[in-house]
Amino acid sequence: MLLLKNRLYKMIKFLGFIILFFHLPVGAQIQTIKILKAGNNEVYPQKKLVILWKDVVLEHNGNIMHCDSAVVYKTENSFLAYRNILIEDNESIILTGDSLKYYGDAQKANIRGNVKLKSKEINLDAPSLDYDLKNKIAFFKQSAFIENKNTGNEIKSNQGRFNTVNNVLFFKENVELTNPDYTIQSDTLVYNTISEISQINGQTKIVTKNSTIHCHQGWFDSKNNISSLKDSIFISSETHQLAADSLFYNENLGQADAFGHVVLRDDTSHWEMTGNRGFYDEKIDSASVYGNSRLTQFNKEDTLKIFADKFITKKADNFYELFCFHNVNILGNQLNGKCDSLYYYEMDSLMYFYDDPVLWIEESQMTGDLINFKIKNGKVYNMEIKENSFIITKNDSAHYDQIKGDFIDGDFIDNQLSTMLINGNGKVIYFSENEETKSISDANKVECEKMKINFFENNIKEVIFQSETSGNSAAIIENEKYELDGFKIYEKITLPNGE
C-alpha cells in the first residue's frame, strides 16, 4: 500500500512539472543579462542589485554593452549605465551616448545625451534615442542629424525611426534632406539608405541649382536622378513656371513629363501655355503642351489667345520659336483668326498662318494660301498674303469693299491698315459715299496688275494704279450683288465654352 502511494505521488509530481513546463510564458526563456567585466563591483543581495564601475562590459543576447558604471537589477533583468556608453549590436550597429537604461526582457535600450548611431551606410546624431535590439529599429523624438556615408546626403528631422534591417529611415516634422545638387524640405520623408530613394508626403519644397519645386507627394531617386511628384505641383525657375497635377522628371536627360491641368509660363516672352499634358526638355529649352491646349500671350496692347491641338516651343539662336498644330483658333483684341497650323519666330516677330487661314482685324476679313503678320508687343506692323489673296471689309450691312490679288503686302499704324500693295491680278471693288447724305452712292470696280491703296480708319481712301488699269464707277443698283470671284464671308470664331 505504501509503495502504491509513493508511485502515485511521483506521478502527480511529474504531471505537475509537465503542466508547468507547457504553461511557461515565452519571456521565461529570455536570457539574463551577463556581467562580462568590471573593475569593481558591490553586491546588494537584499535589493537584488549589483553596482559595477570601472571598464564595465555587459552582454545580452549577443549584444555587447560598455560603460564606466552600471547598476544591474537582477529581478527586473535590466540595468542603468552611465558615461561612455557603447552598444555593439551583432548586426554591425554601434551606439554611443552618455547614459543608458536597458530592459532585458523587452530587449530595448533608452540612450540619452550625445547619442551617436553608426551603421555601414549612415551616421546618426541625436540628443536621445530608443533602440529596439530585438527588431533592430531605432526611434528618436528629438532633433536628429543623419549622414549617408556613401552619397553625402544629410537629413535633419524632429522625429523618426531607422530600421537597420531594411535600411529604411522614416522622418516626421521639419524634415530637410541636403544633397550637393538639391535640398528637400518636407513634413514626412521615407529614405532608403541602399536604394537612395526618398518618398515624400505632405507639403514639400525641393530646391535645385536651377529651380524650386513645391508638391505634396512623390518619390526622388538620387542614385538614378529620376523623380515622380504628385498633388499640386509648382516649379519655378529664373524664367519659367510649371504647374501640374503630377510630373515625372529625368534629371540626366533634363526631361519632364507633366500630367493634368498643366500650366507652363515664360516670363521673358510673356506667354502661358495650358493643357492636359506637357513635356519639357531643359537641355534644348523646348516645351510642348497638348490636350485642350491654349496659349495666352500678355502685353500692354493686347492679350492674344491661341487654341490648338498641340503647342511646341523651342529656343533657336537665343530666340523662341512657336509651333501650333491643327485646329488653330486665334482670339485677341486686335487680331482674330483660324487656320490648321501656325508658326511664330521671336527674332523677326513674324507669325505664319498655314492651310486655309482666315483672319480678321476689326471689320476686315483676310484669306489666302499663306498669311503672315509681323506682330510685336501686341501691335500689328505688317502683313503678307500669298496666293489667292482676298481681303473683304464690311462697309455697311449690304456692301463690302473687296481686294483680290496674287500677292498683298500691307502696313499698319496703331493696328490699323495704312497702305497696301497689290501685285499680280489685282482686282478691287470699293464703295464711295455721298458727301452730303454720308450714304453709299457709287460702286467702283477696278482691275490692275499692280496698285497701291491708302486707307483711313480701315476704309479705302485712295487707289493708286501702277500699271495699266480697267474698270468703271457707277451709281449703285439696289439689290445688285457686288462680289468678286471667290467672295465668301466666314463666321467669326468665338471663345470656347467655359472661357
Side-chain angles (χ1 to χ4, degrees):
M1 187 70 179
L2 183 60
L3 181 62
L4 180 62
K5 286 183 177 179
N6 288 336
R7 286 180 176 176
L8 184 61
Y9 175 77
K10 289 180 179 179
M11 185 178 292
I12 292 171
K13 187 176 181 181
F14 177 74
L15 288 172
F17 173 77
I18 295 296
I19 291 169
L20 179 63
F21 179 81
F22 281 106
H23 282 78
L24 280 173
V26 175
Q29 301 175 24
I30 291 177
Q31 295 181 12
T32 58
I33 296 167
K34 296 177 182 179
I35 302 171
L36 299 183
K37 180 184 177 183
N40 295 295
N41 68 84
E42 193 169 331
V43 181
Y44 295 84
Q46 292 180 344
K47 296 183 178 180
K48 296 182 180 181
L49 60 84
V50 179
I51 298 177
L52 310 168
W53 66 95
K54 195 175 181 180
D55 298 328
V56 179
V57 181
L58 303 169
E59 184 271 338
H60 188 251
N61 284 339
N63 301 306
I64 308 299
M65 289 162 271
H66 302 256
C67 61
D68 285 359
S69 61
V71 180
V72 181
Y73 300 90
K74 291 288 188 179
T75 54
E76 296 177 7
N77 198 28
S78 66
F79 68 85
L80 279 169
Y82 303 96
R83 299 189 66 180
N84 296 313
I85 304 300
L86 171 63
I87 300 177
E88 296 179 278
D89 189 323
N90 53 23
E91 296 293 335
S92 301
I93 298 296
I94 296 176
L95 277 160
T96 61
D98 293 341
S99 65
L100 164 66
K101 174 66 176 178
Y102 183 74
Y103 303 88
D105 292 353
Q107 298 185 57
K108 292 183 178 179
N110 297 342
I111 309 165
R112 301 294 180 262
N114 299 309
V115 180
K116 296 183 183 295
L117 182 152
K118 295 183 179 181
S119 71
K120 292 180 180 179
E121 287 77 29
I122 72 160
N123 292 326
L124 185 152
D125 293 350
S128 64
L129 184 141
D130 297 335
Y131 188 57
D132 183 340
L133 283 88
K134 182 179 179 180
N135 296 304
K136 312 300 181 186
I137 301 175
F139 301 86
F140 60 90
K141 294 183 179 180
Q142 293 179 287
S143 298
F145 176 82
I146 297 91
E147 178 189 19
N148 188 311
K149 298 177 184 178
N150 300 321
T151 65
N153 286 347
E154 297 176 350
I155 305 175
K156 297 177 183 178
S157 176
N158 283 2
Q159 57 179 296
R161 63 178 181 265
F162 175 36
N163 188 321
T164 63
V165 177
N166 60 17
N167 293 290
V168 173
L169 285 149
F170 173 85
F171 301 98
K172 183 73 175 174
E173 290 185 12
N174 298 322
V175 185
E176 181 174 320
L177 184 151
T178 303
N179 178 281
D181 297 321
Y182 61 87
T183 61
I184 300 176
Q185 297 174 339
S186 181
D187 178 68
T188 304
L189 184 139
V190 180
Y191 178 69
N192 189 304
T193 61
I194 303 299
S195 66
E196 298 177 34
I197 294 177
S198 305
Q199 296 182 10
I200 50 181
N201 190 25
Q203 189 169 348
T204 301
K205 179 181 179 181
I206 303 171
V207 180
T208 70
K209 292 179 179 178
N210 299 316
S211 62
T212 301
I213 304 167
H214 295 268
C215 65
H216 290 80
Q217 278 186 314
W219 54 264
F220 200 97
D221 184 343
S222 56
K223 183 181 288 185
N224 297 301
N225 293 322
I226 56 176
S227 58
S228 178
L229 307 175
K230 297 179 181 179
D231 194 2
S232 303
I233 299 164
F234 182 76
I235 303 174
S236 60
S237 66
E238 187 175 348
T239 58
H240 290 79
Q241 289 90 44
L242 171 65
D245 292 341
S246 62
L247 178 139
F248 180 83
Y249 177 62
N250 187 316
E251 185 179 359
N252 294 331
L253 298 177
Q255 296 176 346
D257 266 307
F259 305 87
H261 301 96
V262 177
V263 180
L264 179 62
R265 177 186 283 265
D266 184 313
D267 290 333
T268 57
S269 298
H270 306 291
W271 55 254
E272 176 185 276
M273 288 193 294
T274 62
N276 294 336
R277 186 170 178 183
F279 177 81
Y280 181 64
D281 189 324
E282 63 187 16
K283 291 188 176 180
I284 60 173
D285 201 357
S286 174
S288 61
V289 173
Y290 48 98
N292 295 319
S293 48
R294 179 185 71 187
L295 183 144
T296 305
Q297 188 173 39
F298 307 94
N299 52 66
K300 295 179 181 179
E301 299 292 333
D302 192 9
T303 297
L304 189 67
K305 294 183 179 181
I306 303 176
F307 300 83
D309 293 347
K310 185 174 184 178
F311 294 99
I312 297 175
T313 67
K314 64 179 183 178
K315 213 165 190 178
D317 300 324
N318 293 320
F319 293 96
Y320 279 105
E321 294 178 289
L322 169 66
F323 302 84
C324 311
F325 293 106
H326 310 309
N327 301 310
V328 177
N329 288 323
I330 306 104
L331 292 116
N333 298 332
Q334 308 295 338
L335 178 67
N336 295 270
K338 59 183 179 180
C339 59
D340 179 71
S341 302
L342 183 150
Y343 170 75
Y344 176 73
Y345 189 26
E346 188 180 34
M347 185 179 75
D348 56 19
S349 301
L350 286 176
M351 186 177 287
Y352 297 85
F353 304 83
Y354 297 94
D355 295 335
D356 303 320
V358 183
L359 300 175
W360 293 270
I361 295 181
E362 294 186 354
E363 297 299 324
S364 296
Q365 171 188 288
M366 306 168 196
T367 57
D369 291 354
L370 172 64
I371 302 176
N372 67 64
F373 275 83
K374 187 177 183 67
I375 302 175
K376 192 171 183 179
N377 298 325
K379 285 190 174 183
V380 180
Y381 290 91
N382 177 264
M383 74 168 184
E384 291 181 349
I385 308 176
K386 300 177 182 179
E387 304 297 332
N388 298 309
S389 308
F390 209 136
I391 299 175
I392 300 172
T393 302
K394 190 173 184 179
N395 202 310
D396 64 16
S397 59
H399 302 93
Y400 296 86
D401 291 343
Q402 300 156 55
I403 302 170
K404 187 177 179 181
D406 293 339
F407 177 82
I408 295 176
D409 185 351
D411 291 321
F412 291 76
I413 296 176
D414 294 331
N415 286 323
Q416 291 193 339
L417 270 170
S418 173
T419 59
M420 183 181 296
L421 295 176
I422 304 164
N423 199 349
N425 296 312
K427 296 179 181 179
V428 177
I429 293 178
Y430 66 100
F431 297 90
S432 304
E433 65 178 25
N434 186 291
E435 292 184 1
E436 294 181 2
T437 63
K438 301 299 181 182
S439 61
I440 291 175
S441 59
D442 299 313
N444 305 285
K445 297 181 180 180
V446 181
E447 293 186 10
C448 183
E449 193 67 19
K450 189 175 182 181
M451 66 183 85
K452 178 182 179 181
I453 302 175
N454 294 323
F455 290 83
F456 177 73
E457 294 182 351
N458 280 334
N459 292 315
I460 296 174
K461 177 184 177 182
E462 180 185 25
V463 179
I464 301 171
F465 306 109
Q466 297 178 338
S467 62
E468 291 186 9
T469 181
S470 63
N472 61 73
S473 178
I476 60 170
I477 302 172
E478 191 173 351
N479 298 324
E480 176 84 5
K481 283 190 175 182
Y482 297 93
E483 297 176 356
L484 294 174
D485 290 341
F487 178 91
K488 183 179 180 179
I489 297 296
Y490 292 88
E491 184 179 355
K492 263 190 176 184
I493 59 171
T494 56
L495 285 170
N497 292 332
E499 290 294 327

